[in-house]
Amino acid sequence: MRVLIAPDCFGGTLTAPEAAVAIAAGWRSGAPDDELTLCPLADGGPGFVEVLRSALDGDLHHRTVAGPLGGPVDAVWLEHEGTAYIECAQACGLTLVPREERDALAANTIGVGELIAHALEHKVHTIVVGLGGSGSTDGGSGMLRALGAIPVGVDGDPLSPGGGPLIDTVRLVGQVDLGDVTLVAASDVENPLLGKDGAARVFGPQKGADDLAVRRLERSLTRWADLLAGIAGRDVRDEPGAGAAGGLGAALIALGATVESGAGVVRRLTGLDKALDQAQLVLTGEGSFDFQSLRGKLVTRVSGAAAERGTPCVVLAGQVSVGRRRAASAGVTHAYSVAEHVGSAEASLADPAGTLSDLAKHVSTQWRL
């Protein structure tokens, strides 16, 4: 059987290439005669640059930038044929801050702006920013600050970085000049900036925000949306993807970025469609297959593409909370949980590659076309 292995990363435990290798190892031990094709993927979040680097013959640029709480972090971006591919998680990623140090009100996207500025220095004609996995909820204000547009308060002094202080924003001093560079926001979610499905209420708690902080961030982003409208010449708060990466999507849209599916960008550049055409079974996966997976994330992009071809698609995930009916509506034939297979989430995390590989071996014995 021809099996395509096309997973996303597994949270903070396995990169997409590592997950693909683990799945392949397990599958080979259970079905040694199958023909396996590995195509690790990303949807704009963590692993976006790494996956594209494995598929493109490009130049990797290293840069030390400000992390989500201001400390220096080492980041890379990929240049390929005049296009810069930037992964916001490398500069403002949630995994860059230990859980006990997370500060949802102060975390910012300054480092993302510094990466964009570095790409501009290399005279690229297009900048694609992968969104996802951020630890910030600053509406992209840090990015704008690094690019020359600084939020100030009523006294005219610059505000402290982060989403919390934005509630006191009066205006922006300076402006962003991208020249004739085309800007693309590669978003892994379709959430708006505000409201029950917005950046603060949906993603804030994951970044350390309690109820009080979530309410402050919502008010701050509401005020910030008014300023972004002045930059864009229209209201961007309700546009799909505006809430991605803590509202970084909204700031990119205000600067003129078009929003594309991060999974779609990777799908096109990695040749996924050709691999799908040849597969008899598709395996994809991620750390948690949940309701967010159904909102345009990678696994459902893959399963939808497989369904278009009449090819069964199996999800292998750390944890599964999507029911069979909803999974089937997204083109998923079956979803298997590593945690359920080995008995607990703790056991699965003790050896992420080993337990994923063991699950793949188990599943391989059940799938014979």
Side-chain angles (χ1 to χ4, degrees):
M1 183 166 60
R2 295 187 301 276
V3 181
L4 172 63
I5 300 173
D8 194 357
C9 65
F10 276 57
T13 59
L14 296 171
T15 65
E18 289 171 343
V21 169
I23 293 170
W27 198 274
R28 285 194 184 98
S29 64
D33 294 330
D34 284 353
E35 178 184 329
L36 308 184
T37 299
L38 278 61
C39 186
L41 301 173
D43 59 7
F48 182 64
V49 167
E50 180 183 11
V51 165
L52 290 180
R53 186 193 183 196
S54 68
L56 304 176
D57 182 21
D59 296 322
L60 206 58
H61 297 274
H62 295 259
R63 189 74 167 178
T64 299
V65 299
L69 293 180
V73 297
D74 294 325
V76 297
W77 60 275
L78 180 69
E79 182 180 359
H80 176 68
E81 296 182 349
T83 296
Y85 297 96
I86 291 171
E87 178 185 316
C88 84
Q90 294 212 16
C92 65
L94 185 62
T95 59
L96 297 175
V97 184
R99 184 176 297 274
E100 65 276 8
E101 297 178 17
R102 290 175 185 172
D103 187 339
L105 297 175
N108 63 79
T109 55
I110 291 174
V112 180
E114 292 174 339
L115 288 175
I116 292 174
H118 193 226
L120 291 172
E121 293 174 2
H122 283 73
K123 309 300 182 182
V124 297
H125 57 68
T126 302
I127 297 177
V128 181
V129 183
L131 304 181
S134 76
S136 56
T137 314
D138 75 342
S141 57
M143 176 194 70
L144 293 185
R145 182 190 298 258
L147 293 173
I150 302 172
V152 301
V154 65
D155 57 4
D157 292 333
L159 297 174
S160 299
L166 290 179
I167 198 169
D168 297 320
T169 307
V170 173
R171 59 193 173 92
L172 290 170
V173 173
Q175 59 184 5
V176 176
D177 182 9
L178 299 177
D180 58 357
V181 169
T182 298
L183 195 59
V184 177
S187 177
D188 66 337
V189 296
E190 300 172 349
N191 300 65
L193 180 63
L194 305 171
K196 64 181 180 64
D197 295 323
R201 294 181 183 174
V202 173
F203 304 112
Q206 302 171 8
K207 304 173 184 183
D210 57 18
D211 290 343
L212 183 62
V214 167
R215 290 196 294 271
R216 181 178 178 88
L217 288 170
E218 182 73 9
R219 293 196 300 271
S220 293
L221 291 177
T222 300
R223 173 63 186 138
W224 182 242
D226 294 335
L227 274 75
L228 290 180
I231 296 175
R234 70 183 194 282
D235 196 341
V236 301
R237 71 189 71 197
D238 293 326
E239 297 197 20
L248 176 57
L252 289 169
I253 293 170
L255 290 178
T258 57
V259 179
E260 294 186 23
S261 159
V265 170
V266 173
R267 174 179 174 177
R268 181 179 72 252
L269 295 175
T270 59
L272 177 62
D273 285 292
K274 181 178 179 180
L276 284 165
D277 289 340
Q278 299 172 348
Q280 294 174 293
L281 174 66
V282 177
L283 305 177
T284 186
E286 62 180 341
S288 179
F289 183 50
D290 54 27
F291 79 98
Q292 279 295 330
S293 305
L294 304 177
R295 296 181 65 98
K297 296 193 76 175
L298 184 142
V299 291
T300 50
R301 299 283 183 177
V302 173
S303 62
E308 291 171 1
R309 294 164 169 79
T311 306
C313 180
V314 170
V315 171
L316 305 181
Q319 299 186 68
V320 174
S321 58
V322 177
R324 288 192 176 186
R325 182 174 298 179
R326 295 197 70 186
S329 69
V332 175
T333 310
H334 204 292
Y336 296 88
S337 164
V338 177
E340 183 177 330
H341 177 67
V342 300
S344 69
E346 291 74 17
S348 68
L349 293 173
D351 180 13
T355 53
L356 178 59
S357 184
D358 191 64
L359 175 62
K361 177 181 179 179
H362 169 72
V363 174
S364 72
T365 63
Q366 303 181 28
W367 281 89
R368 297 292 90 203
L369 296 182

